[in-house]
């Protein structure tokens, strides 16, 4: 199997080897040390401001999306949320569910957020801004510098879903003034699914301490109390946390977050340069390094996904909803090499020869 989806993605040999071991008991000093190391490396790679803390939630990325809304926002807030695809839509639904007042900037799929989208909301009494830095469903990467400047001007609390962009696109939590950064184990962290990670700025910690969360499992006050001793309140996905530890150390030893981002950017470029030879149009004009979204001009995107899966053992990433027949995505995160892309390109060439595309 060759996996170019956007998660779960392919894991390194080291990460997979850890998955073959027995899962250890975790209320130990040794496991706490692993968790402290995970916290330090996540903060380093996110460029978290002084005084930030990290929470590891057992649950996929969506669990941390919901935890961020439940623990840092209330009915006293007025939130501006960017909805440019299925992950932006998820935030909209969460704000509705948790009865947090909001206004939505609805973008047509694949369209960048521009200054004119933000302009009507200047000085309008907003308190918070919620965005998916990379809207993975369309491949678009939002202009975080523009968003950050808007938030600073308007003194907004900033929640950033970096689930698919952490370790793939440059992100400086401190410089951007972001208050909550979210990621997940099965995207560029390239581990099995099961853990999501939140980095909380001092301002976020302040909000958490004042907010009553009506879900015990996702209560960040409880999580933060336990994290002081390197523990989680409930049994976490212990094995995945050990794999995350190995992966973070792997990245650190190989030159750190900049190197890892450069490696991903290189693969994205390698693929984008070569895919031009095929009858596909790029769907997003400012794509993340994590994924390339393409529109086939001669075949249904979903048929192409099925064909590659069933006949070549290659997984590209299908889209859902309105984009199902129109768009497919090719990921650049996880343990992938130029050779893997050569393999995919050879499959496209074969399909072209056979007249399928
Ligand atoms: C994958 C993803 C999510 C959702 O994560 P799950 O792990 O499937 O819950 C949320 N936001 C973005 C931007 C993502 O890429």
């Amino acid at each position: 199997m060759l996996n170019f989806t956007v998660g779960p993605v392919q894991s390194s040999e080291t990460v997979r080897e850890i998955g073959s071991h027995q899962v250890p008991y975790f209320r130990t000093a040794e496991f706490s040390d692993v968790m402290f190391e995970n916290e330090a490396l996540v903060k380093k790679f996110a460029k978290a401001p002084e005084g930030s803390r990290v929470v590891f939630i057992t649950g996929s990325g969506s669990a941390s999306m919901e935890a961020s809304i439940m623990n840092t926002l209330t009915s006293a807030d007025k939130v501006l949320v960017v909805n440019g695809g299925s992950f932006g839509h998820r935030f909209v639904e969460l704000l509705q569910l948790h009865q947090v007042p909001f206004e939505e900037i609805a973008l047509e799929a694949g369209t960048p957020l521009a200054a004119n989208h933000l302009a009507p909301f200047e000085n309008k009494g907003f308190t918070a801004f919620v965005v998916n830095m990379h809207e993975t469903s369309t491949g678009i990467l939002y202009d975080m510098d523009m968003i950050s400047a808007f938030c600073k001007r308007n003194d907004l609390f900033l929640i950033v879903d970096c689930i698919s962009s952490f370790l793939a696109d440059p992100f400086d939590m401190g410089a951007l003034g972001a208050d909550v950064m979210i990621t997940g184990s099965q995207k560029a962290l390239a581990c099995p699914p099961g853990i999501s990670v939140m980095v909380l700025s001092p301002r976020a910690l302040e909000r958490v301490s004042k907010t009553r969360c009506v879900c015990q499992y996702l209560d960040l006050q409880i999580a933060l109390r336990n994290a002081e001793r390197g523990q989680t309140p409930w049994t976490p996905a212990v094995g995945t946390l050990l794999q995350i530890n190995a992966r973070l150390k792997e990245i650190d030893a190989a030159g750190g977050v900049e190197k890892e981002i450069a490696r991903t950017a290189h693969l994205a470029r390698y693929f984008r340069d070569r895919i031009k030879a095929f009858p596909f149009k790029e769907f997003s004009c400012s794509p993340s390094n994590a994924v390339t979204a393409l529109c086939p001009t001669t075949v249904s995107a979903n048929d192409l996904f099925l064909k590659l899966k069933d006949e070549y053992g290659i997984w590209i990433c299908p889209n859902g909803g309105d984009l199902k027949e129109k768009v497919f995505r090719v990921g650049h995160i996880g343990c992938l090499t130029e050779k893997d892309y050569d393999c995919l390109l050879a499959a496209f060439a074969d399909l072209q020869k056979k007249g399928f595309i």
Side-chain angles (χ1 to χ4, degrees):
M1 183 184 92
L2 193 46
N3 179 1
F4 296 98
T5 68
V6 288
V9 301
Q10 298 192 157
S11 299
S12 69
E13 195 75 54
T14 315
V15 166
R16 283 186 294 146
E17 203 268 334
I18 293 167
S20 73
H21 292 198
Q22 298 281 9
V23 176
Y25 180 67
F26 67 105
R27 299 289 188 205
T28 61
E30 287 79 8
F31 188 69
S32 290
D33 286 344
V34 166
M35 293 300 279
F36 286 133
E37 198 168 33
N38 284 352
E39 168 160 28
L41 286 170
V42 167
K43 281 203 289 198
K44 178 176 169 184
F45 295 164
K47 303 188 185 344
E50 195 63 33
S52 298
R53 293 189 58 198
V54 180
V55 170
F56 295 88
I57 302 270
T58 292
S60 74
S62 303
S64 282
M65 290 170 77
E66 187 149 12
S68 69
I69 302 296
M70 294 179 82
N71 287 270
T72 68
L73 300 176
T74 70
S75 58
D77 279 295
K78 187 174 163 194
V79 177
L80 192 55
V81 56
V82 180
N83 178 3
S86 48
F87 295 111
H89 181 67
R90 191 166 302 173
F91 268 137
V92 168
E93 288 183 331
L94 286 169
L95 291 165
Q96 275 164 347
L97 178 65
H98 296 291
Q99 303 183 332
V100 179
F102 71 93
E103 288 209 39
E104 153 187 18
I105 300 176
L107 299 171
E108 202 180 316
T111 315
L113 181 76
N116 67 303
H117 295 117
L118 294 176
F121 301 101
E122 297 274 1
N123 303 312
K124 289 279 166 30
F126 285 90
T127 59
F129 194 100
V130 176
V131 66
N132 320 90
M133 172 167 157
H134 168 213
E135 172 52 75
T136 322
S137 64
T138 66
I140 202 149
L141 184 72
Y142 294 127
D143 180 346
M144 286 308 300
D145 289 333
M146 181 181 71
I147 290 170
S148 161
F150 176 83
C151 290
K152 284 176 182 170
R153 272 201 305 281
N154 290 277
D155 192 26
L156 305 186
F157 182 78
L158 175 56
I159 297 176
V160 190
D161 165 1
C162 297
I163 295 177
S164 61
S165 55
F166 181 60
L167 304 176
D169 297 297
F171 178 77
D172 186 328
M173 184 173 173
L176 292 170
D179 294 294
V180 180
M181 193 258 3
I182 306 169
T183 193
S185 56
Q186 84 278 23
K187 302 280 169 87
L189 264 172
C191 287
I195 292 287
S196 59
V197 186
M198 306 175 73
V199 185
L200 303 161
S201 76
R203 207 154 69 138
L205 293 168
E206 173 77 18
R207 273 188 174 245
V208 169
S209 73
K210 290 185 177 146
T211 308
R212 181 168 173 270
C213 177
V214 289
C215 169
Q216 188 185 48
Y217 194 83
L218 294 177
D219 188 329
L220 297 184
Q221 287 183 16
I222 304 175
L224 285 163
R225 250 193 330 268
N226 280 265
E228 283 171 20
R229 56 186 178 105
Q231 288 287 323
T232 54
W234 341 107
T235 307
V238 176
T240 307
L241 286 163
L242 294 173
Q243 289 170 305
I244 287 173
N245 185 251
R247 168 74 171 136
L248 290 170
K249 288 199 289 196
E250 217 170 52
I251 293 169
D252 205 36
V257 65
E258 271 77 22
K259 266 279 174 57
E260 179 62 12
I261 291 169
R263 191 186 68 80
T264 309
H266 170 79
L267 287 177
R269 242 182 348 261
Y270 184 86
F271 175 72
R272 286 170 193 163
D273 286 348
R274 285 158 183 79
I275 200 64
K276 290 191 173 77
F278 296 94
F280 309 134
K281 280 204 319 252
E282 282 203 33
F283 182 58
S284 289
C285 54
S286 55
S288 159
N289 292 325
V291 67
T292 303
L294 296 162
C295 302
T297 54
T298 57
V299 67
S300 134
N302 197 56
D303 289 352
L304 183 58
F305 159 70
L306 292 171
K307 186 89 173 169
L308 283 167
K309 172 171 76 69
D310 296 338
E311 291 183 22
Y312 295 82
I314 296 176
W315 294 66
I316 54 174
C317 201
N319 264 71
D322 293 346
L323 300 178
K324 183 175 173 183
E325 305 298 334
K326 203 177 144 199
V327 177
F328 70 90
R329 292 166 295 164
V330 174
H332 310 300
I333 52 180
C335 193
L336 289 165
T337 62
E338 286 182 7
K339 262 210 183 83
D340 295 327
Y341 287 96
D342 292 342
C343 221
L344 174 62
L345 293 158
F348 283 139
D350 194 48
L351 286 173
Q352 200 169 31
K353 200 175 75 196
K354 290 176 174 156
F356 186 81
I357 57 172

